Amino acid sequence: MATLNDKSLHHALPQNPQRRDLLKNAGGLALGFAFGPGLLFKVFDARACEDGLRANAWVHFRPDNSIGIMCPTAEMGQGIMTSLPLMLAEELDADWELVDVEQAPAAKDYINPGYFGVQGVGGSNSTRGYWTIMRLAGAQARKIMIANAAQYWKVPAGECTTAQGKVVHAESKRELSYGEIAVFSEVVNNPPLVTENELKPREQWRLIGRDVRRVDVPAKVNGSAQYGIDVQIPGMLFASLARSPIANTPHPLYGTGAENGPVSFDDTEAMKVQGVVKVVKLDHAVAVLGTDYWATVKAKRLLKVEWRKGELASKYDSEAKKTEWVALARDRSKTGRAVGNAGDFNAAFKQAAQTLSAEYLTDHVHHACMEPFNATAWVRGKEVDVWVPTQGQTWAQQVCAKITGVPAEEIRINTTFVGGGYGAKTEQLMTAEAVTLSKLMNKPVKVIWSREDDVKHGAYRPLTAQRMDAAMAADGKVMGWSHRLVADSVLVRARKVVWDQNPGLDGSVAVGMVQPYGVPNKHHEYVHQLGGVPVGYWNAVGNGFTIFAVESFMDEVAAKIKKDPLQLRIELMTDIRGKAVLEQLRKVSEWDRKRADGRALGVAYNHGGAWNCQIGEVVEVSLDRASGAIKVHKVWAVADPGTAIQPKHLRQQLETGIIWGMSAGLREQIVIKGGEVQHSNFYDYPVPRMDEMPEIEIHLVEGAHGQVSGAGQIGVAPMAPAIANAVFKLTGVRLRELPMLPVRVKTALNEQAVKTA
Amino acid sequence: MAQMTSTTLTVNGKRQTVTAHPDTPLLWVLREHLKITGTKYGCGVGQCGACTVHIDGKAAFSCLRPIASLANVHVTTIEGLSPTSEHPLQKAWIAEETPQCGYCQSGQIMRAAALLKDNPKPTREQIVAHMKTNICRCGSYRRIIAAIERAAKEG
């Protein structure tokens, strides 16, 4: 099986040789590539380049026949460190057993043309963004191997072929391994470039679509896997930061956090703690630096800090915000940005024989990655090294450049394993803190956030209020559909440069509003409101709340027109893949079979939009009426990811999504009062444990032949509405607020009891 | 307690003397004094289990154990579970491809190792009851169960 080259995760540690030296010493051939979206611009001999470029090889053939392949993005559990190099290996016709994977450094050569044009991982973009270019690179490298062997044998290249790591000339029964070729091989200038139509037909795939072992797993069972928090630099200082009582997570490219930052501090007691070196006021926090980590933790507790209270943030109350924003959602005179509209909803509503309205609310939720934010930096003049578990190397470079004045491309971002990302680790505040403090102290500094820091200063999924309206003809035919979403924007805070190009619209928040249900008159509108507390990318971001509204309301419509909710979806579905998913789901969940007393099924669907992956989920639930607690017993999911590069990894990702969706549906909630987060740690922000796992059955179908998708987040969103729909089937009570906390369920049950009494 | 003191203990078979604030959790002694970083920080309050090690053979949250209380104890971390990473649980963890982000898995394996030591053939219910102290945010729980059952079977 392919392995992990774990030197690549330590490559810039000062006590280790630099990567370029590793390449030089190892000999062989190193190839670099330049890409645009879906196409290859250039291939070059990475040995022949200046030192600075030497590091930017994509594939390295060594004389011992081993082949190093770069993984451009960070591994955070999604299996990308296996699946991207595997695409290249497939076209290269490499022997997978002899491949080792290296973590690529931060450099423009590794950017994902499909993801904001940056090197980073998010939006389920890695597979889609790198799919074509990784295979083109592999095919190009194979061509170079063939050309060199043919020249060596003095035979036409067209007579040569490849077989698992070697070039074969069948006629003369000669063969050369890639390692043998690497020793003498040359790359001609500007060779003809491989195009997409030269890639292997699917029938010839040996690796894609067949499960291989994940390369990152062995290091993760013996403690050797290096996460950001594990980085050790000789002589480094530690830093613990005292943070504002108000949620204060500025994005360092666009804000300072000074509005909620320290006015003054008293470090008299803190400085008495042995091991503390210095206390420093930053814009957003007060940092305690020391030679001993625990000393900084102790001293932080002894600091006395007076804090500013930001105008906007200190007035933010999440309960009140829902009430305020649902009024806006209801008020059609408050206009926002329309998304994917069709027909004339207003006319349809006027002509409707029957109408239906409902309002949905969702609270903030938090990532609670197992590895809290951390970063280590060593700034020494123009030399800037940063070790950070990040989803965004390019953004980390930009942040460091802003602080140090060193050009972004010269900042060395050393990517480590990421102990859970889910969008949180696109954030860069920890990077900024480490670099600022290292520059100030002229020493390496490791910043470690406490769990409490992590919970109280996250980048939460936006809180939302949504208003749905439907217009039906006398026979129940759905003629009009309106969806108004009121929420803060992630872009306005974390990608201001993107927001400014198209203000008022945030695709990551509005995502999921437009679903392929055949309703002639459709209106979707996103009304942005600035909240003042940090909101960010969460697993599936907007999908988590928009699909809750869409798929709950679809059930409400079905109840109103007395249709089976799954049948209604199938009838309205205009997407052929979506229809197949739902029909398969009906079958595998035995939707039409009556369940035991006290149990009921609910269904929800998610088209997935640009992810190009569709999913339907059915849940079987029961309810403890005394406590209001909902239990999910079983989940059936049918997903159409197109081609599954690694089916087993894909199932893991879907399962993670299902569990996150269940958890966000039932219990995850960040309450904010006066800008202050009312939670601290896992005891008051509980996440699912082993005893709460439902049975999960996942079925994959392939409706889009030959296409790939981003499947990392697709599983999340349908869970909450499927659960709400199942509870409705069980009790006749409609739950319209996330999370569906037991206390909320009981209130809803009591309201129903009063109504029916 | 603003001054440091010295404590001697055995970690993975090696005697170590560390100088630290007496209330320093074992977790941070392991990670930042001894640079044994397989044991992870997750919560600091005994809620998540990422820091699970064995103290005198019993599973313990290293984030809750001040160093001053640990004179002369024997600590085993994930690095010391097997010299060759071939503990039956480690083999089973690889066979089931249990880890995703992997951050919690040292703690999960150490917790599971304590279970199998006392109860080599646990039932599914016993596994769940024992393991629910440890959080996996990726939700790899079903593969953790499968790996423990495999290790119990294959030894």
Side-chain angles (χ1 to χ4, degrees):
Chain A
M1 70 197 231
T3 55
L4 168 70
N5 180 346
D6 60 2
K7 281 195 194 76
S8 67
L9 288 158
H10 305 246
H11 60 83
L13 287 173
Q15 68 268 38
N16 285 331
Q18 296 282 308
R19 165 187 302 284
R20 61 192 68 148
D21 299 327
L22 288 174
L23 281 176
K24 204 185 297 177
N25 296 340
L29 174 67
L31 294 177
F33 301 95
F35 304 104
L39 79 155
L40 182 59
F41 283 143
K42 195 179 172 183
V43 57
F44 58 89
D45 183 342
R47 296 171 306 184
C49 298
E50 295 301 311
D51 265 4
L53 276 175
R54 191 186 294 277
N56 299 341
W58 267 96
V59 55
H60 183 205
F61 298 91
R62 304 189 196 91
D64 66 357
N65 288 326
S66 68
I67 297 177
I69 303 178
M70 289 290 182
C71 175
T73 67
E75 174 62 63
M76 51 185 191
Q78 79 280 42
I80 209 71
M81 192 173 247
T82 306
S83 50
L84 294 187
L86 178 123
M87 294 171 191
L88 194 153
E90 177 72 78
E91 287 295 334
L92 176 58
D93 220 359
D95 183 349
W96 184 247
E97 301 296 310
L98 298 176
V99 167
D100 54 79
V101 175
E102 298 187 32
Q103 179 70 58
K108 61 178 174 18
D109 306 78
Y110 302 113
I111 64 164
N112 182 349
Y115 183 52
F116 295 105
V118 302
Q119 187 180 7
V121 45
S124 295
N125 277 301
S126 297
T127 297
R128 286 176 294 147
Y130 287 107
W131 164 243
T132 303
I133 62 178
M134 290 295 272
R135 287 181 303 142
L136 287 173
Q140 189 74 46
R142 174 176 174 270
K143 235 177 178 175
I144 289 167
M145 287 289 111
I146 289 178
N148 277 284
Q151 197 177 24
Y152 183 82
W153 290 324
K154 300 191 171 48
V155 300
E159 289 180 7
C160 299
T161 181
T162 57
Q164 288 211 39
K166 58 193 178 195
V167 178
V168 180
H169 186 244
E171 205 181 298
S172 61
K173 291 199 175 72
R174 283 180 293 185
E175 55 181 54
L176 280 169
S177 72
Y178 288 172
E180 289 169 318
I181 299 168
V183 174
F184 63 81
S185 57
E186 281 173 3
V187 184
V188 294
N189 277 334
N190 301 316
L193 295 177
V194 171
T195 56
E196 213 179 327
N197 56 17
E198 293 173 70
L199 297 177
K200 272 187 191 176
R202 178 188 187 130
E203 304 73 60
Q204 291 176 21
W205 286 345
R206 287 186 294 109
L207 299 168
I208 296 169
R210 298 188 188 175
D211 289 315
V212 302
R213 313 295 302 178
R214 277 177 56 163
V215 301
D216 56 325
V217 163
K220 290 177 175 176
V221 306
N222 63 14
S224 66
Q226 289 274 307
Y227 297 84
I229 202 168
D230 299 331
V231 167
Q232 301 289 340
I233 308 295
M236 73 180 179
L237 296 176
F238 296 90
S240 292
L241 276 70
R243 296 171 194 277
S244 174
I246 287 179
N248 194 25
T249 322
H251 193 290
L253 288 178
Y254 308 111
T256 63
E259 62 278 17
N260 303 307
V263 179
S264 61
F265 68 90
D266 174 354
D267 64 359
T268 315
E269 293 305 311
M271 285 304 293
K272 290 180 186 163
V273 178
Q274 189 187 352
V276 171
V277 172
K278 198 176 171 77
V279 177
V280 186
K281 186 157 82 78
L282 303 177
D283 283 339
H284 71 292
V286 179
V288 180
L289 291 132
T291 52
D292 179 285
Y293 172 63
W294 193 248
T296 69
V297 173
K298 286 164 72 78
K300 170 179 158 177
R301 293 173 184 159
L302 297 170
L303 275 180
K304 293 188 187 80
V305 186
E306 190 195 330
W307 299 96
R308 277 186 207 93
K309 287 196 162 192
E311 188 64 23
L312 202 53
S314 64
K315 293 196 183 111
Y316 190 95
D317 186 308
S318 54
E319 279 304 305
K321 215 36 108 177
K322 283 182 285 184
T323 311
E324 186 189 317
W325 287 359
V326 79
L328 296 180
R330 200 177 298 147
D331 178 359
R332 301 192 82 90
S333 72
K334 297 279 183 293
T335 55
R337 292 288 301 268
V339 199
N341 290 354
D344 183 344
F345 170 77
N346 288 323
F349 205 76
K350 278 187 200 122
Q351 291 158 14
Q354 42 185 338
T355 62
L356 187 68
S357 302
E359 289 161 354
Y360 300 88
L361 304 172
T362 68
D363 275 312
H364 291 292
V365 289
H366 178 51
H367 308 83
C369 301
M370 292 308 291
E371 181 185 22
F373 285 143
N374 65 84
T376 304
W378 192 358
V379 181
R380 43 209 193 284
K382 295 276 172 207
E383 299 277 308
V384 181
D385 267 292
V386 179
W387 295 262
V388 60
T390 185
Q391 288 181 245
Q393 289 88 343
T394 305
W395 294 315
Q397 283 182 316
Q398 290 167 356
V399 164
C400 297
K402 189 179 169 192
I403 296 165
T404 61
V406 175
E409 60 273 19
E410 291 173 25
I411 309 279
R412 285 190 292 270
I413 303 297
N414 304 286
T415 305
T416 65
F417 278 128
V418 181
Y422 319 110
K425 283 176 179 135
T426 57
E427 293 294 327
Q428 298 296 340
L429 184 56
M430 64 291 194
T431 313
E433 290 168 350
V435 168
T436 302
L437 293 170
S438 174
K439 187 178 169 217
L440 188 80
M441 302 302 291
N442 210 17
K443 281 196 168 178
V445 174
K446 170 147 82 170
V447 173
I448 301 172
W449 289 38
S450 68
R451 174 59 61 193
E452 289 76 11
D453 289 344
D454 179 273
V455 172
K456 289 185 176 295
H457 304 278
Y460 313 103
R461 187 174 81 183
L463 169 152
T464 71
Q466 298 175 81
R467 163 82 181 204
M468 310 296 294
D469 290 281
M472 279 84 70
D475 64 356
K477 187 166 165 38
V478 187
M479 299 304 294
W481 177 277
S482 165
H483 185 171
R484 282 170 51 84
L485 161 69
V486 181
D488 201 347
S489 155
V490 178
L491 281 183
V492 77
R493 173 183 160 273
R495 298 285 167 274
K496 187 82 174 26
V497 61
V498 179
W499 171 269
D500 287 343
Q501 289 163 11
N502 193 3
L505 195 61
D506 184 333
S508 71
V509 172
V511 61
M513 293 177 87
V514 183
Q515 293 288 320
Y517 292 121
V519 178
N521 304 287
K522 292 170 96 169
H523 179 86
H524 319 89
E525 191 173 1
Y526 167 47
V527 180
H528 171 245
Q529 292 289 296
L530 196 64
V533 295
V535 294
Y537 298 110
W538 202 78
N539 200 342
V541 212
N543 249 244
F545 40 77
T546 61
I547 301 285
F548 173 60
V550 170
E551 289 295 301
S552 293
F553 193 56
M554 186 56 74
D555 248 57
E556 299 208 46
V557 169
K560 173 97 177 171
I561 62 175
K562 299 189 169 54
K563 273 232 169 198
D564 174 84
L566 179 52
Q567 184 58 32
L568 177 64
R569 284 175 173 83
I570 292 171
E571 285 174 16
L572 289 178
M573 181 56 60
T574 59
D575 186 296
I576 187 169
R577 292 169 67 191
K579 196 167 263 196
V581 161
L582 290 172
E583 276 166 357
Q584 180 71 0
L585 187 59
R586 169 169 232 148
K587 214 180 289 171
V588 299
S589 68
E590 300 178 274
W591 175 258
D592 299 301
R593 176 169 65 79
K594 194 180 169 332
R595 271 21 190 208
D597 283 350
R599 298 277 188 100
L601 301 185
V603 64
Y605 162 82
N606 183 7
H607 174 267
W611 292 338
N612 199 24
C613 181
Q614 308 202 18
I615 196 165
E617 291 169 10
V618 165
V619 299
E620 181 170 338
V621 308
S622 65
L623 173 68
D624 176 11
R625 284 174 179 267
S627 68
I630 299 165
K631 180 160 177 62
V632 179
H633 297 274
K634 180 153 183 182
V635 182
W636 294 263
V638 176
D640 174 3
T643 300
I645 311 293
Q646 287 291 288
K648 207 157 123 189
H649 306 172
L650 193 133
R651 285 165 186 275
Q652 291 183 357
Q653 291 288 288
L654 295 177
E655 197 163 319
T656 298
I658 286 166
I659 293 166
W660 275 61
M662 178 181 82
S663 184
L666 293 181
R667 69 142 73 102
E668 286 189 46
Q669 176 194 34
I670 288 285
V671 176
I672 300 175
K673 289 183 183 163
E676 299 183 12
V677 171
Q678 306 296 301
H679 314 258
S680 301
N681 206 314
F682 289 116
Y683 48 76
D684 56 8
Y685 191 83
V687 299
R689 291 176 185 270
M690 190 181 277
D691 56 336
E692 299 158 80
M693 286 303 100
E695 199 183 327
I696 299 174
E697 194 179 304
I698 294 170
H699 299 261
L700 300 182
V701 296
E702 187 176 340
H705 194 73
Q707 295 179 28
V708 295
S709 65
Q713 306 173 89
I714 188 78
V716 175
M719 281 301 288
I723 293 168
N725 295 340
V727 170
F728 175 77
K729 197 165 178 184
L730 196 61
T731 64
V733 170
R734 178 56 61 179
L735 301 170
R736 298 193 185 92
E737 186 171 10
L738 293 187
M740 295 174 269
L741 298 170
V743 60
R744 289 176 176 171
V745 175
K746 272 181 76 172
T747 305
L749 288 168
N750 290 340
E751 279 169 7
Q752 184 203 40
V754 171
K755 259 190 235 162
T756 51
Chain B
M1 295 213 297
Q3 297 303 309
M4 299 188 187
T5 56
S6 289
T7 308
T8 300
L9 72 170
T10 303
V11 178
N12 297 334
K14 193 173 165 194
R15 292 278 282 175
Q16 301 272 10
T17 298
V18 291
T19 302
H21 287 284
D23 59 345
T24 306
L26 172 62
L27 167 68
W28 296 109
V29 168
L30 293 170
R31 292 184 51 78
E32 302 296 357
H33 290 248
L34 302 176
K35 323 270 187 230
I36 302 172
T37 55
T39 306
K40 296 296 192 266
Y41 167 63
C43 69
V45 292
Q47 285 281 310
C48 77
C51 69
T52 305
V53 298
H54 295 175
I55 298 178
D56 290 335
K58 301 267 182 227
F61 297 128
S62 64
C63 73
L64 294 181
R65 303 296 288 270
I67 187 65
S69 70
L70 297 173
N72 300 319
V73 301
H74 286 256
V75 174
T76 307
T77 71
I78 185 74
E79 292 89 345
L81 185 63
S82 152
T84 52
S85 305
E86 285 177 326
H87 186 280
L89 282 166
Q90 290 171 312
K91 289 196 283 187
W93 242 250
I94 289 174
E96 296 293 339
E97 297 221 297
T98 299
Q100 282 173 252
C101 94
Y103 191 82
C104 73
Q105 300 293 351
S106 298
Q108 303 279 4
I109 292 170
M110 294 310 286
R111 180 87 191 159
L115 170 68
L116 292 191
K117 207 168 143 198
D118 294 342
N119 180 2
K121 303 281 173 204
T123 63
R124 175 73 61 93
E125 290 67 30
Q126 287 168 332
I127 292 171
V128 172
H130 180 85
M131 295 301 297
K132 71 179 181 187
T133 53
N134 286 46
I135 292 172
C136 171
R137 188 60 161 148
C138 302
S140 69
Y141 296 120
R142 299 196 317 148
R143 293 192 311 282
I144 291 174
I145 294 171
I148 295 172
E149 288 178 345
R150 179 190 281 262
K153 200 168 132 208
E154 295 176 357

